[in-house]
Amino acid sequence: MSIYDYDVTLENGEKYSMAKYRGKTLIIVNTATKCGFAPQFKQLEAIYQDYKDKDVIVLGFPSNQFKQEVSDSSAAAEACRMTYGVNFPMHTIHDVNGHDALPLFDFLKREAPGTLGKAIKWNFTKFIVNRNGDVVQRYAPKTSPLKMLPELNELVGN
């Protein structure tokens, strides 16, 4: 299986295949609007704005698994837009660990386990996927999105 074999759902209920992003570099993040790391939304949005012309897409996947997200996907996306100016795609709320985890996150964790194992330890775990669909890096929640720029620049040829 590859990342392009998974379907996901936008916060408005629109379902699509990750194959839509074939040939693009992706930053996939599990998010939560009430998390102490939520200010990272501003950095993620800045990266999205600075790199979208280079086919870099940031994808936000809210999760309430750590009890730091509102219970409604549309409300979570709206909070991101209003509080942090987020314009990148936001998706429906899903678990990122366990039996009910979004299959995309099971794939990401298998391809890029963390230092303490495969589980997502907290909100704002970030994954970079290259243009071929390979998961090339996983970043811890506390890692600033700006620390991803050297890897991102290498992938897009800057």
Side-chain angles (χ1 to χ4, degrees):
M1 300 237 2
S2 84
I3 195 161
Y4 303 125
D5 294 318
Y6 294 94
D7 291 335
V8 294
T9 306
L10 290 169
E11 49 90 13
N12 67 4
E14 178 187 332
K15 192 174 211 174
Y16 70 92
S17 169
M18 289 294 292
K20 167 182 180 174
Y21 297 117
R22 191 178 303 274
K24 299 189 183 305
T25 301
L26 305 176
I27 299 171
I28 299 174
V29 187
N30 73 302
T31 66
T33 56
K34 296 179 181 180
C35 179
F37 295 128
Q40 289 186 22
F41 277 120
K42 286 188 178 187
Q43 293 176 349
L44 290 164
E45 178 63 22
I47 291 169
Y48 178 62
Q49 292 302 323
D50 290 347
Y51 285 82
K52 67 182 178 182
D53 291 340
K54 296 174 182 162
D55 287 332
V56 175
I57 309 293
V58 177
L59 300 172
F61 287 86
S63 176
N64 195 29
Q65 196 149 29
F66 306 107
K67 310 297 183 218
Q68 294 185 317
E69 186 56 272
V70 296
S71 60
D72 176 81
S73 298
S74 293
E78 185 64 18
C80 292
R81 285 190 283 273
M82 297 301 293
T83 307
Y84 300 104
V86 167
N87 288 297
F88 56 80
M90 293 296 295
H91 296 77
T92 54
I93 296 172
H94 282 284
D95 285 352
V96 293
N97 292 315
H99 179 70
D100 294 328
L102 185 65
L104 172 64
F105 273 85
D106 286 338
F107 173 79
L108 292 168
K109 292 182 299 186
R110 267 194 318 274
E111 295 296 305
T115 55
L116 301 175
K118 291 182 183 175
I120 301 282
K121 301 299 183 204
W122 204 249
N123 301 307
F124 289 90
T125 297
K126 299 163 281 293
F127 297 88
I128 294 183
V129 178
N130 70 16
R131 294 175 194 263
N132 298 322
D134 303 317
V135 183
V136 295
Q137 190 62 265
R138 175 179 176 159
Y139 292 90
K142 67 180 180 180
T143 303
S144 163
L146 299 179
K147 299 264 186 192
M148 299 186 301
L149 292 179
E151 179 84 23
L152 205 54
N153 284 326
E154 187 174 311
L155 290 171
V156 300
N158 273 359

